[in-house]
Amino acid sequence: MTGDVIPRAQAIANARAVLDKARARRDADRAAGRLSPEVELMLRRLERQQAPAHRAAA
C-alpha cells in the first residue's frame, strides 16, 4: 500500500486545527450553560490543577 505521506508539520497543524475547533465548541457550550454540572465540575478541577503550572512558566 503506497500513497502520499503527509509531512509531520502538516499533520501537527491538522491536529491542532481539530483540537482548536473542539475547544471552541466546548467553550461556546460552556458559556451558554449547556454543559452538565458534572462536566462543569471536571473542567473547574482541571483548570485549578493547571493554574500553578501556568504561573510557574510565566
Side-chain angles (χ1 to χ4, degrees):
M1 177 174 170
T2 61
D4 295 330
V5 176
I6 298 172
R8 184 173 190 263
Q10 184 62 47
I12 291 170
N14 292 349
R16 285 185 179 163
V18 171
L19 183 58
D20 288 344
K21 286 180 185 178
R23 285 179 174 157
R25 185 173 58 244
R26 178 207 59 204
D27 292 344
D29 286 346
R30 190 175 187 187
R34 291 188 289 253
L35 298 181
S36 69
E38 295 83 12
V39 172
E40 183 66 35
L41 180 61
M42 284 190 298
L43 289 174
R44 288 183 187 195
R45 285 180 181 163
L46 287 170
E47 289 168 349
R48 275 197 312 268
Q49 290 173 358
Q50 292 175 0
H54 286 281
R55 279 182 254 162

